[in-house]
């Protein structure tokens, strides 16, 4: 990334959840290594996609950035200010600038509050008095997110899932944030309305110049939304690149496997080989030594078990395209466990 002064700068970010055990004295007997040394930046107005299977640490990362969780290690810099361990008072000036949108729109809205109250609540808490009053601002926000401003006095249960997520977006926008962390914002919605909500977020990102960290469990959703994409596996970033570099030239075996599951964008594209990942993601309590992906990698060697591959610009990568693998993929590497190149057989 060319921006020398990113909006958000994360380095070595780590979150280990202690596991308590023992009786009568409860002591720490281990740790869930949910996030283990992340480095990435987000420029102003940019959208970074964060992708990986369930359990790889995406939500924890989102909650660390928004400081809903206290980091175990590393550093978070927002607009040049170190907020890694900032307390309530320290966070107060920037609280409104970093907002979060959650996966389950219903669980994140208070069922006993009207939409108007839900959206104006954050303004009230932060003492924001927009010109023309809060109610007028709420109506404007409802309009921006594609809801009827007249529905100001309705309750969450009177809306559909997609509409509820729009309410969540309006609430996040109420404080005019500079950064929104959207944690799988469409995963809980019907496929038919996912695109509508993604389009809304895209409109918001472009027209209001808001930076996004967009979390998703597959590469299909972020493809149209994020200029840059980071792929996570077991608490680590295994590959990060501009969108086109990542989709056209995936170098990490895990990225390649994830991509093979994404439906082809064009009809006449050569059918991609399907790579079926075997087994589950190992436990983050006791992750594999060396490369954490090695227990599911078709190319793992002794070296992979002993040396953790650093996240670097592998030979053949464009600048800014980083890969953590001792043996990066190339266009003509044939993955061993592919099922078939024959589109009929692969269907
Ligand atoms: N509060 C917590 N206490 C202990 N373990 C947790 C906690 N939150 C998340 N984890 C564990 O951390 C790992 C990463 O979780 P999460 O960040 O939710 O992953 P993702 O969002 O990618 O599915 C999982 O193994 C999860 O069980
Ligand atoms: S470092 Fe080894 S185990 Fe890890 S992804 Fe690369 S080849 Fe596979
Ligand atoms: Mg999650």
């Amino acid at each position: 990334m060319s921006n020398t002064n990113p909006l958000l700068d994360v380095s070595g970010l780590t979150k280990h959840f202690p596991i308590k055990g023992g009786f009568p004295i409860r002591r720490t007997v281990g740790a869930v290594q949910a996030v283990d040394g992340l480095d990435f930046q987000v420029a102003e107005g940019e959208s970074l996609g964060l992708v990986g299977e369930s359990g790889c640490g995406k939500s924890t990362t989102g909650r660390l950035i928004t400081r809903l969780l206290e980091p175990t290690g590393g550093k978070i810099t927002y607009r040049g200010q170190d907020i890694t361990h900032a307390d309530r008072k320290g966070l107060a000036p920037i609280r409104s600038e970093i907002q979060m949108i959650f996966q389950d729109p219903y669980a994140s809205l208070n069922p006993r509050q009207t939409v108007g109250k839900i959206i104006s609540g954050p303004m009230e808490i932060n003492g924001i008095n927009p010109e023309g009053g809060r109610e007028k601002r709420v109506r404007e926000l409802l309009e921006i997110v594609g809801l009827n401003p007249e529905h100001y006095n309705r309750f969450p249960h009177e809306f559909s899932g997609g509409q509820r997520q729009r309410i969540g977006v309006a609430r996040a926008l109420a404080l005019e944030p500079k950064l929104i962390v959207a944690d799988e914002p469409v995963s809980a919605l019907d496929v038919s309305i996912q695109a509508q909500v993604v389009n809304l977020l895209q409109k918001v990102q472009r027209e209001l110049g808001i930076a996004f960290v967009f979390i998703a469990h597959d590469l299909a959703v972020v493809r149209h939304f994020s200029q840059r994409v980071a792929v996570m596996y077991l608490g680590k970033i295994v590959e990060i690149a501009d969108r086109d570099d990542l989709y056209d030239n995936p170098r990490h075996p895990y990225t390649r496997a994830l991509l093979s599951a994404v439906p082809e964008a064009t009809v006449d594209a050569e059918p991609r080989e399907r790579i079926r990942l075997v087994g589950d993601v190992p436990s983050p309590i006791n992750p594999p030594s060396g490369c954490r992906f090695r227990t599911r990698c078709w190319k793992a060697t002794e070296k992979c078990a002993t040396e953790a591959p650093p996240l670097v610009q592998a030979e053949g990568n464009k600048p800014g395209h980083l890969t953590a693998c001792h043996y990066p993929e190339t266009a003509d590497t044939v993955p061993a466990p592919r099922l078939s190149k024959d589109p009929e057989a692969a269907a």
Side-chain angles (χ1 to χ4, degrees), residues 55 58-60 103 183-184 215:
K58 305 181 298 295
S59 294
T60 303
Q103 174 174 354
D183 189 359
E184 305 208 30
I215 296 172

Side-chain angles (χ1 to χ4, degrees), residues 252-253 291 293-294 297 299-301 304 309 324-327:
H252 197 283
C291 174
F293 185 56
R294 71 177 166 83
C297 184
K299 302 201 295 188
T301 67
C304 304
C325 175
H326 294 308
Y327 312 105

Side-chain angles (χ1 to χ4, degrees), residues 56-323:
C56 71
K58 305 181 298 295
S59 294
T60 303
T61 304
R63 298 171 78 86
L64 287 168
I65 300 168
T66 49
R67 287 302 325 278
L68 295 170
L69 279 174
E70 184 74 12
T72 312
K75 192 171 173 188
I76 307 170
T77 309
Y78 175 76
R79 290 217 279 149
Q81 186 191 339
D82 183 347
I83 59 162
T84 320
H85 301 292
D87 56 12
R88 273 179 75 93
K89 214 172 129 218
L91 285 172
I94 57 152
R95 251 284 163 247
S96 61
E97 295 184 16
I98 308 176
Q99 292 295 311
M100 193 146 177
I101 297 173
F102 297 92
Q103 174 174 354
D104 182 349
Y106 201 53
S108 67
L109 303 176
N110 185 338
R112 282 180 294 274
Q113 286 186 345
T114 64
V115 168
K117 183 84 185 142
I118 287 169
I119 299 173
S120 64
M123 290 192 256
E124 216 163 292
I125 291 168
N126 288 276
I128 293 172
N129 294 299
E131 217 177 299
R134 291 190 191 123
E135 183 173 329
K136 175 163 169 276
R137 180 68 184 137
V138 169
R139 289 177 194 272
E140 280 168 14
L141 286 165
L142 286 171
E143 199 139 15
I144 289 172
V145 300
L147 292 172
N148 186 343
E150 299 307 312
H151 292 170
Y152 183 93
N153 279 317
R154 296 203 177 174
F155 289 88
H157 69 87
E158 299 178 72
F159 294 87
S160 69
Q163 287 173 327
R164 281 177 204 145
Q165 196 53 293
R166 289 173 191 271
I167 297 169
V169 176
R171 177 178 56 183
L173 293 180
L175 296 175
E176 299 183 6
K178 292 185 186 300
L179 174 68
I180 292 180
V181 176
D183 189 359
E184 305 208 30
V186 298
S187 299
L189 303 178
D190 278 357
V191 176
S192 58
I193 48 171
Q194 286 188 357
Q196 294 173 16
V197 174
V198 172
N199 288 344
L200 166 67
L201 293 172
Q202 200 152 29
K203 185 184 100 169
V204 160
Q205 190 231 341
R206 290 192 183 144
E207 291 176 13
L208 304 178
I210 298 171
F212 269 80
V213 173
F214 191 105
I215 296 172
H217 59 257
D218 67 53
L219 279 161
V221 175
V222 295
R223 171 159 215 164
H224 302 288
F225 191 82
S226 298
Q227 292 102 24
R228 267 190 325 132
V229 178
V231 177
M232 279 186 78
Y233 188 80
L234 261 186
K236 292 194 181 287
I237 292 177
V238 296
E239 186 152 33
I240 183 166
D242 283 347
R243 173 194 25 216
D244 292 342
D245 292 337
L246 192 90
Y247 284 82
D248 296 345
N249 188 22
R251 305 299 307 278
H252 197 283
Y254 183 58
T255 310
R256 194 149 180 186
L258 284 184
L259 266 179
S260 78
V262 174
E264 298 295 339
T266 50
V267 184
D268 53 353
E270 190 167 323
R272 228 182 248 132
E273 320 93 313
R274 281 233 159 211
I275 303 165
R276 184 167 285 167
L277 282 175
V278 286
D280 295 325
V281 181
S283 162
I285 295 171
N286 194 8
S289 63
C291 174
R292 291 186 173 186
F293 185 56
R294 71 177 166 83
T295 55
R296 299 166 86 195
C297 184
W298 54 93
K299 302 201 295 188
T301 67
E302 191 50 39
K303 185 180 181 185
C304 304
T306 52
E307 281 179 43
L311 185 64
V312 293
Q313 187 182 333
E315 207 184 315
N317 281 11
K318 291 197 177 144
H321 181 170
L322 309 180
T323 309

